[in-house]
Amino acid sequence: MSSPQGRVLPFRPSVRLDGTEPGSSGGAVGGAQDPFAVGRRIRHHRKQAGLTLDALSARVGLSASALSLIENGRREARVSTLGEVARALGVEVTALLTGGPPTRRAALEMRWERAQRSDGFETLGIPQVRAGSGLPDEALEALVGLYETVAGLQQQRAATPEFARLANAELRQLMRSADNYFPDIEARAAELVRIVEHRHGPVTREAVNRMARHIGFDIELVPDVPASTRSVTDLAHRRIYLPAHGRHDPRAAALQALGHVVLGHEPPRDYAEFLAQRVEINYFAAAVLVPEVSAVPFLQRAKGERDIALEDLRDAYGVSYETATHRFCNLATRHLDLPVHFLRISSDGVVYKAYENDGIRFPKDATGAIEGARVCRHWTARVVFDRPPGEVYAQYTDTGRGTFWCTSVVEQTSAGRFSVSLGVPFDQVRWMRGRETTHRRVSRCPDPRCCTRPPAELARAWEGRVWPSARAHSHLLAVMPPGVFPGVDETEVLRFVAGHAPVQPADEDPARS
C-alpha cells in the first residue's frame, strides 16, 4: 500500500499571533470583499453626493432596507450591485472596494461593529450599543478602547498559549466546513479493511495485526511503554510497541500508530500540525474499526426505522461509546443528511473536545477557543453526571439558538469521569431513539444569570466569608511544551526503543535495515 507524503486534511494555520492572516493588514477578512469596509465607503460617498438611502435605492433598483443592510456590513453586495451603486454615486468601483475607512468615524464604527459581532462579546458583560449618528465620536472611541482593553486582558489570562487555541479553533472550522467527512482518509481505511477481507462485525485484533504486517510492521505488546505515550513506533525495525495492559483499546492505539504511516505524516513542524495529525489518525482508526461500507447501510436502516442509537453502533462494532459517537459525526451529515453536535466534557463541566455543524452555540473565550470553557449546568452533557452510572440519558434543552435534543453517557477513564454527548436540532429528533424523553431544561448561557453567577440572595449571605482553593489545570498550562512531539519524554522513548531493538551485527546500520 503506497503512502504518499503530506497532509490528508488541507490544514495549515493561516493566523498569526495577532489573529490576522499572513500578508494582510487586518482590514480584509477572509476574502476579496470586506462587507464592513465596503458598506462604510458606500455610506461615505452617498452622503458626499447628498443622497438619502431612498434616493440611492431608487437609482440602483434596490429597496432602502436592502441598501441599509449593505451599508451596515450585514449583507455582502454582488459585483453587479456594486457597479450600479458606483455609477449612481459617480465614483469608480475600486473606490468602494479598496483603501482604508473613508473617515476616522467610519473606522471607529467598523471596529465597534466587529467587536459586537465577535465570538465571546456577550461573555464580557459589555452591553450592545448602536453606533448611530447621535453617539459622539469621543464616546464611540471610549467604547472601542474599553472593549479592546478588556478583550486583550481576557486573552492574556487564557489558560493555554494563544497560538494553540487559535490553531485548534481554525482546525475545528475546517472540520465543520467539510461536515467532518474526509474522503481521502475513508478511502485509505477502506483499502486496509478490504485487504484483510473483513466484511461485518467488530474488527478483530488479529485483523489489525494483518493490516500492520501488510504495511510491513509488527505489533509488540510490552509492559514498559513510556508513560507519556500511547504507543511507540520503531521505524528502523518496523515495530509498533503497545502497552500490554493499557486502558485504551489496543486496536485503536495500533491503528492510530499505523495511521501516521498510511497517511504519510512527517514530524510536525509546530503545534498546529501536531493537532491536525492527531485528528487524522483518530479519524483513520475509527474509519477502520467502523467501516463506511457497512456502517452507512446500518445507520440508514436505523434512520428508516426512526431508531438511530449510538449504543447500537457501539455494540455492533465492538468500540467505545466515544468512538461510536465520533464515527457517527463523520457519517451523519454526508450520508444521513443530519446536522449534529458532539461534546466530551469532564465532571466539572470543562470542554475537552467539541464539534458542531447544527447551529448550537458552544461556550467560547475571546479568542474563539472552546477547549477549557465550561458548559452550561443545564445542558445534557452536565446533567448526565447526576444520573446512575452507565445510563443513556436523553434531554431537550431550550437555548437562544433553538431547542436541541441530546443523548449522553458518562465513561470512567484513568483521568476521571467524562460525559460523551451527541445532539441534533429539534426538527431532526424524529430519527433518534430516546426522542420520547420528558426531560427538558432551559439554558440562557452565555448570559451569566443562567448558571455562572450565583443567586443574589446566596451571594449576599456569603459575601466575604468563603475562600475556595482553586484546582490548577496544569494540563492546560502545558498544552504546548517544547519538543517535536508535545508532551513526550524523548529521552525515555529513545532509551525504550534502544532497549527493545533486536541485536544487530556490528557492521549493520539499523536505520537502513
Side-chain angles (χ1 to χ4, degrees):
M1 183 175 185
S2 61
S3 301
Q5 297 299 306
R7 284 236 183 84
V8 176
L9 275 65
F11 174 73
R12 182 69 188 169
S14 61
V15 290
R16 301 187 298 219
L17 293 184
D18 63 359
T20 62
E21 298 178 357
S24 78
S25 62
V29 179
Q33 186 185 135
D34 178 355
F36 289 117
V38 170
R40 292 308 186 273
R41 293 187 195 108
I42 291 174
R43 177 180 295 172
H44 171 75
H45 288 292
R46 175 175 63 78
K47 291 185 176 180
Q48 288 288 98
L51 296 174
T52 64
L53 267 175
D54 288 332
L56 180 58
S57 66
R59 292 189 183 189
V60 298
L62 278 179
S63 67
S65 59
L67 189 57
S68 176
L69 289 173
I70 293 173
E71 285 196 352
N72 288 313
R74 297 182 180 276
R75 176 181 295 177
E76 184 170 327
R78 296 178 178 178
V79 174
S80 58
T81 299
L82 287 176
E84 292 292 333
V85 170
R87 280 191 289 274
L89 295 175
V91 299
E92 298 292 330
V93 173
T94 53
L96 305 180
L97 289 173
T98 61
T103 64
R104 173 160 177 73
R105 170 73 185 203
L108 288 169
E109 288 179 357
M110 288 166 60
R111 285 162 66 186
W112 181 237
E113 186 69 15
R114 284 202 183 102
Q116 293 188 103
R117 297 187 193 182
S118 66
D119 289 326
F121 181 86
E122 293 182 24
T123 66
L124 298 176
I126 302 175
Q128 294 271 346
V129 176
R130 182 176 176 273
S133 58
L135 185 67
D137 289 2
E138 296 81 6
L140 180 57
E141 187 166 10
L143 282 172
V144 171
L146 284 170
Y147 164 76
E148 292 177 351
T149 299
V150 172
L153 289 172
Q154 188 183 64
Q155 289 183 8
Q156 290 176 21
R157 291 198 302 268
T160 57
E162 185 180 5
F163 178 75
R165 300 172 78 82
L166 290 169
N168 214 24
E170 188 172 357
L171 179 56
R172 188 180 304 104
Q173 177 59 41
L174 169 66
M175 296 164 67
R176 184 187 300 114
S177 66
D179 288 328
N180 204 22
Y181 179 86
F182 297 97
D184 258 0
I185 303 181
E186 294 285 354
R188 298 184 197 187
E191 184 178 351
L192 273 184
V193 171
R194 179 187 58 78
I195 284 168
V196 300
E197 299 180 343
H198 175 79
R199 289 182 172 80
H200 56 81
V203 174
T204 64
R205 290 173 65 172
E206 176 53 30
V208 174
N209 287 336
R210 294 203 307 274
M211 293 177 191
R213 289 195 293 270
H214 174 77
I215 300 171
F217 282 82
D218 290 317
I219 298 175
E220 303 277 349
L221 299 179
V222 295
D224 57 340
V225 172
S228 60
T229 68
R230 285 191 177 185
S231 66
V232 175
T233 302
D234 179 348
L235 297 173
H237 301 100
R238 313 288 286 183
R239 289 180 170 184
I240 296 174
Y241 295 104
L242 301 177
H245 305 290
R247 288 180 174 268
H248 299 288
D249 183 345
R251 300 172 304 160
L255 289 167
Q256 288 164 358
L258 287 173
H260 286 300
V261 179
V262 173
L263 303 177
H265 288 166
E266 297 178 350
R269 291 166 289 181
D270 51 37
Y271 190 74
E273 191 161 324
F274 170 78
L275 285 176
Q277 290 183 358
R278 284 293 300 270
V279 169
E280 290 179 5
I281 63 171
N282 288 338
Y283 191 115
F284 173 78
V288 172
L289 293 172
V290 186
E292 181 180 26
V293 66
S294 60
V296 169
F298 179 92
L299 291 171
Q300 288 173 336
R301 285 193 298 273
K303 183 181 180 184
E305 297 168 0
R306 301 193 175 208
D307 194 34
I308 297 175
L310 294 177
E311 52 269 32
D312 288 353
L313 192 65
R314 173 197 63 192
D315 297 342
Y317 289 92
V319 295
S320 69
Y321 192 86
E322 182 174 351
T323 297
T325 307
H326 277 301
R327 195 63 181 129
F328 183 79
C329 288
N330 297 152
L331 304 173
T333 305
R334 175 62 62 95
H335 293 290
L336 305 177
D337 199 28
L338 282 177
V340 296
H341 69 267
F342 159 81
L343 272 171
R344 181 177 186 263
I345 72 169
S346 59
S347 56
D348 56 355
V350 172
V351 177
Y352 278 66
K353 295 179 184 178
Y355 166 78
E356 61 82 18
N357 69 351
D358 63 355
I360 199 169
R361 176 188 287 176
F362 287 143
K364 297 179 181 179
D365 64 18
T367 70
I370 292 173
E371 285 73 16
R374 187 167 271 110
V375 167
C376 176
R377 295 177 185 275
H378 303 298
W379 280 22
T380 312
R382 289 193 71 175
V383 177
V384 69
F385 286 103
D386 298 328
R387 311 298 299 182
E391 176 183 323
V392 179
Y393 174 72
Q395 173 185 299
Y396 291 96
T397 307
D398 299 319
T399 77
R401 292 285 184 91
T403 298
F404 295 85
W405 174 92
C406 302
T407 181
S408 188
V409 167
V410 173
E411 293 188 325
Q412 181 69 44
T413 74
S414 58
R417 293 196 307 157
F418 290 82
S419 72
V420 177
S421 305
L422 184 284
V424 297
F426 180 80
D427 62 358
Q428 299 291 342
V429 73
R430 61 188 180 277
W431 314 112
M432 312 301 291
R433 182 186 301 169
R435 61 186 176 276
E436 70 282 354
T437 182
T438 58
H439 299 297
R440 195 173 195 122
R441 296 285 184 104
V442 176
S443 170
R444 297 192 305 277
C445 284
D447 185 338
R449 292 171 296 180
C450 177
C451 66
T452 58
R453 182 184 298 166
E457 183 177 349
L458 187 64
R460 284 194 300 269
W462 289 96
E463 184 177 5
R465 301 172 64 185
V466 178
W467 187 285
S469 180
R471 183 189 300 275
H473 292 282
S474 58
H475 64 285
L476 295 177
L477 298 173
V479 72
M480 194 166 54
V484 176
F485 302 100
V488 170
D489 185 329
E490 294 181 19
T491 300
E492 185 182 20
V493 168
L494 294 181
R495 286 175 175 167
F496 166 81
V497 294
H500 283 274
V503 176
Q504 299 290 334
D507 60 348
E508 183 176 341
D509 180 359
R512 300 187 181 185
S513 60

